[in-house]
Amino acid sequence: MKYNPNQIEAKWQKYWSENQTFKAANDSAKPKYFVLDMFPYPSGAGLHVGHPLGYIASDIYARYKRHKGFNVLHPQGYDSFGLPAEQYAIQTGQHPEKTTKENIARYREQLDKIGFSFDWSREVRTSNPDYYKWTQWIFIQLFNSWYNNDSDKAEDISTLTAIFEKEGNATVNAVCDEAIVPFTAAQWNAFSKEEQEKILLQYRLTYLAETEVNWCPALGTVLANDEIINGVSERGGHPVIRKKMTQWSMRISAYAERLLQGLETIDWSESIKESQRNWIGKSVGAAVTFNLKGHDEKVAVFTTRPDTIFGVTFMTLAPEHELVTKITTPEQKQAVDAYIEATAKRSERDRMADVKTISGVFTGAYAEHPFTKEPIPVWIGDYVLAGYGTGAVMAVPCGDERDYAFAKHFGIPIKNIFEGVDISETAYSDKENTVIADSDFLNGLDYKKATQKAIEALEQLGQGKGKTNYRLRDAVFSRQRYWGEPFPVYYVNDLPQMIETEHLPIVLPEVEKYLPTEDGQPPLGNATVWAWDTANHKVVSNDLIDHVTVFPLELNTMPGWAGSSWYWMRYMDTHNNEAFASEEALQYWENVDLYIGGSEHATGHLLYSRFWNKFLKDKGFAPTEEPFKKLINQGMILGTSAFVYRFTMGTDVLFASKNFIVEKDGQPGVYVAFDSAQNKYIITEQESDFVPVLKIHADVNLVNASDELDIDAFKNHALYQDYKNSQFIANENGKYIVGREVEKMSKSKYNVVNPDDICEQYGADTLRLYEMFLGPLEQAKPWNTAGITGVSGFLKKLWRLYFDDNGLIVTDNEPSKEALKTLHKTIKKVQEDIENFSFNTSVSGFMIAVNELSAAKCNERAILEPLAILISPYAPHIAEELWQALGNEGSISQVPFPVFDAKHLVESSKEYPVSFNGKMRFKIELPMDLTAAEIEKIILADERTIAQLNGNAPKKVVIVPGKIINLVG
RNA sequence: GCGGGUGUGGUGAAAUUGGUAGACACGCCAGACUUAGGAUCUGGUGCCUUCGGUGUGUAGGUUCGAGUCCUAUCACCCGCACCA
């Protein structure tokens, strides 16, 4: 019987589906284990071989855990709201829902072919109303909450209004907007309902605010900071500008400290944690206010070095700072205005790229030093960013490089306040070795003590206090798109009102066009039935809007990250209509034990998910503080692009092999001539007409493993019709060799390799093994099918341990000691490797085992049955087939993992390597139970030792029993 | 600039607490069986050479012994980037 992967795999995939083999129970006596993949966006291009890498790894782990007796939750779903479907809709008029459904069907088909053990009964789609009902519900919870710094958690807004009614807002320690006007209880109670609503918006965890946003004109939408790469949009690469708009925001800044501290408790890669720390950007220092001379205004600054306050010789404001126009003197007005205009013209990108140029203008105004009362000139400069801290700095040129450079450039005095330090060339920013001098009451103190004392003194003056600043900004939560979650919000007198949760979901309305409206409103502005009837609790026609009982609904939709910020909890109880998941389900599954996905989500999805999880924890819905205990980032699989080199001779178009490309004047070129004898172009040694070469992507499917192009197929390919009559200059073997380069796998580079083709040709088990065999999971690596025959051959060899041409050859004979040793060595290795996520090495472990067992002609059931279980997480189809062939009933998937027994590995003797000065010279077989002294005696008497030492006695003998012998001559 | 990571044969890569460097594969070479093979099987394969030497980016150090530990340095990749 031959190994026929296609037949076996179809059979078992059908079996698993029909028997719901991988359906997880919410009530099980077994310990739980939750293995999660980052769910895919179902794009039109389908899966390529890079997508399943993480899924295969998590599937191996999930299957292993089932063998180990865990109740495993291993679900899959789709992050199905998104821009590509919407853009396709704009182009074709096709409803994004239709495109999305088609794409999902294709994804599902591809995923099924790889044999994943997903519990599909729990599938989620973020674009399903059943799902986004709960995304809307969570939004409402956020709206109805505020962050209490005293209890250090989110609380219901009613606890805030209770305080307002009794004490006003003076005693409230909340995370809120900067510009809060104080009021008393009496004032609060006297406010109109609308005034109260406006104030509460400044405290809510999601709030409407006029914010400067990243506006992308080409996409007609707002982008979050992490959706912008190098100043252009992540999707499409369109330019982005700053613009003021009223937008929903999420007060993620309230959770900055908890998001930072939580990182210490989770098992994630250091690089991702570091990215998040960086993104949160905590800095500890002080807020200081400087009085302005001749003005009532004050300048607020944040500094991490309050200890250097006596070194302040000037201040710098960001050009956009609101005080600039107020304080600029008439003499300086022209220069300041010109500078502001010049800065505004420069794009964010230019400003970022150009760090070297020092520029700035004096405003003519002076601030007053809080202690010395000396005048301090106030400058503006674009090295100060409006968006960080207060948009103003106290400049201490002796202690900060940028201040130093600025002062030198404009001839501002530099005052040295460090003891024993030369600052004639550069600033001194070493905190640890700082000793303050020339600073009144701070003299002689180190950084820590001086900081503390400076803050105390500032507090006494009422001009400062200790403060911690975070780089993390609140996240804009509105998008001017169609294909996203609608907000459960309507407007009464421009004030947002939440729809009662029992009326959710608010379903996305139908529109004629998916573009923004002509008057610049978001696409939902095209909807004609998009008003909220507060009497009948339903969405009604816009014609009925009377601003009495029927009100307009929100036109923005939620961003892409809304639906993905809580989806793991929906898997716990997918079909619940009463809650996003039942309390019992949440208590049982708790959180994700293992999460596998790409590192590109480091500061997006992985941060927002932690934020929402913490919020839901505060409100008593989520059971744990952190959603993902362990995170593994799989490396990207890169494509290996193929290139052909096109050039022209007269009117002829020719292609030369990579081998023939030579460089000329730094340009690629070839030497080519027409050979009239052969009646074709040939490559010559001689330089003839130089013609520039054009590098063209050739579809990798037209190239074999030896980089040879199928020339006929190329000429007949629809893509290359222009080259139908071109000549190819072959090498001496008559082959055309393409050039290869590693690039990102992408449709436009024609380097996409499809998993379906691999499954078709070799089988899913081979694909699974090969993707794991490629190298360490977390490492980026180019896809190259060259080695796939190795794992394919391995599976055939495995099969032949069980079958010959006539059928099953497994016996019930007693296995040999050697076979048992191989088995148990493999159990140990595979178990350790899986637990360390070292899947590549366990594949070679299997190969070694099968090689050994084949060589020993092992066909005993006592070996081959456990072997099938061992390999089942990796190659589940063949494992099921072998398991069944051995006469077992049902699926192998829950069978206990073989237990390692060390007794089979005990050796009676060891082949010791004998080294001289650390270099191995010969080996000697010795019994294991010899002592070091006995070994030494034998070794010293050995003639090879005597020869190595020229008959001399060794200076030193190192013997580690069971390991090595080393002699020093 | 700061932070994180990676450097090992022709290629992908292995290597417990420091203990035989290159497991396992691909490729290549030779052979067997074949009309044939991109099927299957066997053997060989780090590099330089004749013994022997030499080898884990480079230069040092610690050690009986270093891919592994320490110091310096180079290259590449990723993230953040005038963060006060």
Side-chain angles (χ1 to χ4, degrees):
Chain A
M1 275 173 70
K2 273 190 116 179
Y3 171 50
N4 182 342
N6 291 345
Q7 189 208 321
I8 292 172
E9 289 171 5
K11 169 182 160 187
W12 286 101
Q13 283 161 15
K14 187 159 172 265
Y15 176 95
W16 295 330
S17 164
E18 283 172 356
N19 291 279
Q20 304 207 47
T21 307
F22 304 113
K23 192 169 172 165
N26 273 13
D27 50 348
S28 169
K30 293 176 178 178
K32 71 100 187 185
Y33 201 89
F34 189 174
V35 182
L36 183 66
D37 292 298
M38 288 186 186
F39 61 167
Y41 172 76
S43 86
L47 287 179
H48 62 65
V49 291
H51 293 114
L53 181 73
Y55 304 159
I56 294 169
S58 65
D59 197 58
I60 289 170
Y61 207 82
R63 286 175 179 272
Y64 170 74
K65 281 289 181 182
R66 287 194 199 97
H67 286 300
K68 280 288 190 178
F70 286 83
N71 181 31
V72 173
L73 176 53
H74 186 39
Q76 187 59 289
Y78 304 96
D79 190 11
S80 46
F81 273 132
L83 207 47
E86 176 154 337
Q87 291 208 311
Y88 190 72
I90 290 167
Q91 285 160 20
T92 65
Q94 199 169 103
H95 199 292
E97 191 176 351
K98 186 165 178 281
T99 322
T100 303
K101 276 197 172 143
E102 288 164 4
N103 291 348
I104 286 177
R106 167 104 177 92
Y107 263 63
R108 178 62 189 274
E109 200 183 315
Q110 288 185 295
L111 289 170
D112 281 349
K113 278 192 186 153
I114 305 173
F116 294 119
S117 64
F118 293 130
D119 177 357
W120 283 109
S121 73
R122 295 172 186 253
E123 179 194 306
V124 303
R125 299 181 186 188
T126 54
S127 62
N128 270 6
D130 284 354
Y131 180 88
Y132 68 66
K133 170 182 175 175
W134 298 105
T135 312
Q136 292 172 337
W137 182 87
I138 293 169
F139 176 82
I140 294 170
Q141 304 307 309
L142 283 154
F143 184 81
N144 289 330
S145 302
W146 65 293
Y147 200 90
N148 187 345
N149 278 327
D150 289 339
S151 61
D152 200 19
K153 60 189 251 190
E155 292 182 10
D156 195 89
I157 202 81
S158 61
T159 65
L160 183 66
T161 48
I163 302 172
F164 286 172
E165 283 161 17
K166 283 199 188 111
E167 306 169 22
N169 67 351
T171 59
V172 169
N173 185 9
V175 180
C176 55
D177 287 4
E178 289 285 321
I180 292 279
V181 181
F183 53 80
T184 64
Q187 283 171 314
W188 171 260
N189 294 324
F191 285 147
S192 70
K193 191 153 186 323
E194 271 184 28
E195 283 170 315
Q196 291 183 342
E197 284 293 320
K198 278 184 190 160
I199 288 165
L200 287 177
L201 265 181
Q202 299 182 307
Y203 290 88
R204 295 179 189 275
L205 284 183
T206 184
Y207 59 98
L208 212 45
E210 170 116 316
T211 40
E212 193 164 84
V213 295
N214 305 301
W215 175 253
C216 180
L219 297 175
T221 192
V222 163
L223 300 174
N225 283 332
D226 48 284
E227 290 172 306
I228 301 165
I229 311 286
N230 296 329
V232 297
S233 65
E234 189 183 13
R235 278 191 193 275
H238 304 292
V240 175
I241 59 166
R242 307 286 292 171
K243 186 179 167 183
K244 283 216 165 187
M245 281 179 84
T246 300
Q247 300 282 305
W248 285 103
S249 282
M250 286 281 163
R251 220 178 283 282
I252 188 173
S253 57
Y255 286 85
E257 187 62 28
R258 279 166 67 186
L259 288 167
L260 188 66
Q261 295 307 324
L263 292 172
E264 306 305 321
T265 68
I266 47 182
D267 185 6
W268 291 16
S269 75
E270 200 46 44
S271 70
I272 296 272
K273 287 194 194 180
E274 200 55 39
S275 291
Q276 293 211 346
R277 282 186 201 113
N278 222 319
W279 195 259
I280 295 166
K282 180 181 183 175
S283 40
V284 180
V288 184
T289 49
F290 286 73
N291 295 321
L292 280 164
K293 300 231 175 208
H295 288 270
D296 292 338
E297 310 276 358
K298 299 169 192 301
V299 185
V301 301
F302 174 74
T303 177
T304 55
R305 298 295 304 272
D307 58 317
T308 63
I309 190 145
F310 285 93
V312 174
T313 57
F314 63 101
M315 302 187 74
T316 314
L317 309 185
E320 300 89 341
H321 198 284
E322 54 173 12
L323 276 179
V324 173
T325 49
K326 293 183 190 167
I327 62 170
T328 302
T329 58
E331 303 82 60
Q332 292 296 328
K333 189 169 187 319
Q334 202 185 342
V336 167
D337 286 351
Y339 185 74
I340 292 172
E341 204 189 321
T343 339
K345 264 194 202 148
R346 293 175 75 193
S347 69
E348 195 87 350
R349 216 176 166 181
D350 290 346
R351 245 171 106 174
M352 255 161 32
D354 183 16
V355 177
K356 294 260 154 62
T357 315
I358 295 160
S359 69
V361 178
F362 179 45
T363 62
Y366 288 87
E368 179 189 270
H369 193 281
F371 299 116
T372 65
K373 307 297 175 194
E374 277 167 18
I376 300 166
V378 180
W379 288 65
I380 61 172
D382 68 0
Y383 80 95
V384 178
L385 304 175
Y388 183 77
T390 62
V393 299
M394 59 173 228
V396 183
C398 66
D400 182 282
E401 284 301 337
R402 292 154 307 171
D403 296 346
Y404 187 90
F406 196 88
K408 276 262 156 143
H409 189 261
F410 290 109
I412 303 167
I414 297 171
K415 179 184 171 192
N416 190 355
I417 51 143
F418 300 117
E419 204 165 289
V421 171
D422 174 23
I423 55 146
S424 58
E425 291 297 328
T426 176
Y428 181 76
S429 53
D430 183 357
K431 280 184 198 173
E432 298 309 312
N433 299 312
T434 290
V435 180
I436 303 291
D438 203 4
S439 295
D440 196 353
F441 57 91
L442 299 177
N443 285 345
L445 298 178
D446 62 19
Y447 157 73
K448 258 190 165 167
K449 283 191 187 127
T451 298
Q452 193 191 340
K453 216 162 175 192
I455 291 174
E456 279 168 18
L458 284 165
E459 275 173 359
Q460 272 179 12
L461 285 177
Q463 280 190 259
K465 59 177 181 191
K467 193 184 174 191
T468 301
N469 213 32
Y470 299 91
R471 196 185 79 102
L472 183 68
R473 300 267 74 86
D474 283 349
V476 176
F477 198 67
S478 298
R479 294 293 182 273
Q480 292 67 45
R481 289 179 193 159
Y482 175 75
W483 194 229
E485 298 87 348
F487 285 88
V489 173
Y490 62 95
Y491 287 89
V492 177
N493 291 334
D494 289 335
L495 280 172
Q497 309 293 324
M498 294 298 121
I499 290 168
E500 297 84 343
T501 52
E502 63 259 40
H503 307 307
L504 300 180
I506 300 304
V507 179
L508 205 51
E510 294 300 319
V511 292
E512 290 269 320
K513 277 189 197 160
Y514 302 99
L515 280 168
T517 65
E518 276 168 20
D519 53 351
Q521 298 227 297
L524 292 192
N526 293 315
T528 52
V529 182
W530 195 238
W532 185 247
D533 181 336
T534 54
N536 298 306
H537 312 299
K538 61 177 188 179
V539 176
V540 296
S541 167
N542 296 1
D543 300 338
L544 300 175
I545 294 174
D546 56 8
H547 296 285
V548 181
T549 55
V550 180
F551 300 95
L553 278 158
E554 168 73 57
L555 300 182
N556 289 296
T557 54
M558 298 188 196
W561 55 270
S564 60
S565 295
W566 69 280
Y567 74 111
W568 65 94
M569 288 190 269
R570 187 62 175 167
Y571 284 133
M572 297 174 183
D573 196 8
T574 315
H575 305 289
N576 194 326
N577 286 324
E578 309 302 317
F580 68 80
S582 72
E583 211 172 307
E584 300 78 57
L586 286 159
Q587 285 305 325
Y588 179 73
W589 292 111
E590 284 187 318
N591 56 7
V592 175
D593 295 281
L594 172 64
Y595 195 23
I596 296 187
S599 55
E600 66 271 22
H601 299 107
T603 53
H605 162 63
L606 288 170
L607 198 62
Y608 297 130
S609 294
R610 295 181 60 222
F611 159 43
W612 278 30
N613 189 82
K614 284 174 192 298
F615 166 71
L616 291 169
K617 168 78 165 37
D618 287 351
K619 302 288 281 184
F621 299 116
T624 60
E625 179 77 10
E626 289 289 338
F628 315 123
K629 271 187 214 155
K630 182 171 178 67
L631 175 74
I632 299 269
N633 300 113
Q634 90 270 20
M636 204 184 346
I637 293 211
L638 302 162
T640 314
S641 300
F643 290 97
V644 291
Y645 302 89
R646 171 192 178 278
F647 61 103
T648 51
M649 288 289 285
T651 55
D652 291 350
V653 176
L654 304 176
F655 287 92
S657 281
K658 172 76 175 170
N659 316 20
F660 293 125
I661 304 295
V662 294
E663 295 280 322
K664 184 184 167 172
D665 302 334
Q667 296 287 320
V670 293
Y671 302 150
V672 65
F674 188 75
D675 182 340
S676 48
Q678 295 185 55
N679 195 31
K680 66 174 193 181
Y681 288 96
I682 56 161
I683 299 292
T684 70
E685 298 284 311
Q686 289 217 320
E687 185 172 353
S688 102
D689 296 323
F690 171 77
V691 273
V693 171
L694 225 78
K695 215 164 68 171
I696 296 172
H697 276 102
D699 192 317
V700 290
N701 296 305
L702 305 173
V703 182
N704 72 9
S706 308
D707 292 349
E708 295 158 358
L709 180 73
D710 184 336
I711 296 169
D712 290 335
F714 181 87
K715 287 182 175 175
N716 291 323
H717 198 285
L719 279 168
Y720 308 111
Q721 282 310 292
D722 292 354
Y723 309 123
K724 221 179 167 78
N725 300 314
S726 304
Q727 286 199 47
F728 283 78
I729 300 169
N731 67 9
E732 44 299 349
N733 302 321
K735 304 289 187 188
Y736 182 92
I737 306 296
V738 298
R740 291 286 201 176
E741 276 175 43
V742 171
E743 299 179 289
K744 208 172 161 175
M745 208 174 262
S746 128
K747 220 175 167 180
S748 63
K749 297 186 169 79
Y750 302 105
N751 60 2
V752 173
V753 183
N754 187 297
D756 305 353
D757 297 342
I758 308 277
C759 287
E760 178 80 18
Q761 198 180 346
Y762 298 98
D765 285 337
T766 296
L767 174 75
R768 292 170 63 107
L769 280 170
Y770 186 58
E771 291 222 6
M772 292 299 104
F773 191 55
L774 230 38
L777 180 60
E778 306 201 43
Q779 194 174 299
K781 53 219 155 208
W783 178 261
N784 181 352
T785 26
I788 201 164
T789 53
V791 288
S792 171
F794 155 73
L795 285 175
K796 290 179 192 165
K797 206 165 174 182
L798 171 73
W799 184 263
R800 284 199 301 273
L801 285 174
Y802 299 74
F803 296 99
D804 67 8
D805 292 346
N806 303 313
L808 197 70
I809 52 168
V810 176
T811 71
D812 286 324
N813 298 342
E814 278 294 306
S816 69
K817 263 192 164 171
E818 265 55 51
L820 278 167
K821 187 178 155 193
T822 297
L823 175 67
H824 283 268
K825 187 175 73 180
T826 310
I827 295 171
K828 184 167 186 280
K829 172 150 190 64
V830 170
Q831 188 161 317
E832 285 171 359
D833 284 348
I834 292 179
E835 278 162 15
N836 294 321
F837 300 92
S838 176
F839 301 111
N840 53 328
T841 52
S842 41
V843 177
S844 49
F846 288 130
M847 288 173 170
I848 293 167
V850 168
N851 287 345
E852 286 176 4
L853 295 175
S854 300
K857 299 209 165 30
C858 166
N859 51 13
E860 293 86 22
R861 172 183 296 272
I863 302 297
L864 297 181
E865 208 165 74
L867 183 67
I869 305 168
L870 282 185
I871 207 158
S872 119
Y874 289 80
H877 309 87
I878 194 173
E880 292 275 22
E881 187 69 17
L882 295 172
W883 183 250
Q884 191 184 57
L886 290 169
N888 296 293
E889 293 279 327
S891 169
I892 195 172
S893 62
Q894 306 273 354
V895 172
F897 205 73
V899 177
F900 169 64
D901 187 343
K903 81 175 180 211
H904 298 292
L905 301 194
V906 174
E907 298 273 1
S908 59
S909 68
K910 155 95 188 167
E911 192 180 36
Y912 281 92
V914 183
S915 301
F916 292 83
N917 300 317
K919 299 224 185 300
M920 207 275 291
R921 295 301 170 185
F922 64 87
K923 292 173 187 172
I924 185 166
E925 185 91 17
L926 294 171
M928 276 301 274
D929 51 10
L930 288 188
T931 63
E934 287 166 330
I935 293 171
E936 181 169 346
K937 218 171 172 182
I938 295 167
I939 282 299
L940 290 179
D942 195 290
E943 56 189 26
R944 289 170 295 187
T945 309
I946 295 161
Q948 281 291 335
L949 296 171
N950 294 322
N952 299 324
K955 287 191 183 119
K956 187 166 185 177
V957 179
V958 180
I959 292 170
V960 184
K963 289 266 187 195
I964 51 103
I965 298 163
N966 189 24
L967 296 104
V968 184

